[in-house]
Amino acid sequence: MPVIRLNHLRIYAHHGCWPEEEIIGGDYTVDVAIDFDFTEAALQDDLSKTIDYVRVNGIVQHEMKIRAKLIEHVAHRIVMSLRKEFPASEKIWVRLTKMNAPMQGQVESVSVEMEG
């Protein structure tokens, strides 16, 4: 199955359980993969026959602006919004990564992955 991917969308958002995270915010990355047969679009060079990755980006940006305590919740919203916008897609996969999560010890990032 052909796949459309958006890799490492960099977003500044205010998710987290700590009050400081709501105020200060932090850096996130989002990766998206959408299984979709875009053969017809490729043959005809026709954007209307594929999934417009600009629209995908807009959905991710919109959902990331809505504050949540858990990145699991945000990832779920992204998957559900993409599924609603692109019902013909076979599978939608999202990885949401929180850079420099506030915790003891040094960790580069924490991530959640969801499929829908």
Side-chain angles (χ1 to χ4, degrees):
M1 174 64 65
V3 178
I4 295 171
R5 294 183 191 276
L6 279 77
N7 302 307
H8 301 303
L9 294 167
R10 293 179 184 96
I11 301 169
Y12 193 84
H14 297 267
H15 306 301
C17 294
W18 298 102
E20 298 83 15
E21 293 175 294
E22 182 174 5
I23 297 166
I24 298 168
D27 294 315
Y28 296 81
T29 63
V30 180
D31 299 285
V32 177
I34 301 175
D35 290 7
F36 181 80
D37 186 358
F38 54 78
T39 304
E40 191 175 345
L43 292 171
Q44 297 179 18
D45 195 23
D46 186 346
L47 178 61
S48 72
K49 302 204 181 296
T50 190
I51 291 176
D52 183 349
Y53 54 79
V54 173
R55 287 173 52 203
V56 173
N57 180 54
I59 290 168
V60 171
Q61 296 287 339
H62 172 77
E63 293 298 338
M64 287 296 292
K65 287 180 184 176
I66 302 169
R67 177 165 161 63
K69 292 179 183 174
L70 302 177
I71 59 175
E72 292 89 331
H73 180 72
V74 182
H76 174 75
R77 284 197 330 247
I78 293 169
V79 169
M80 293 299 104
S81 292
L82 290 171
R83 171 63 54 211
K84 183 178 178 182
E85 183 72 15
F86 305 109
S89 60
E90 293 289 322
K91 181 173 68 173
I92 296 171
W93 170 87
V94 170
R95 176 174 42 224
L96 174 52
T97 302
K98 183 175 193 172
M99 308 305 293
N100 304 310
M103 62 174 65
Q104 283 190 323
Q106 293 184 352
V107 63
E108 181 179 298
S109 64
V110 295
S111 297
V112 297
E113 296 183 21
M114 293 193 82
E115 258 182 43

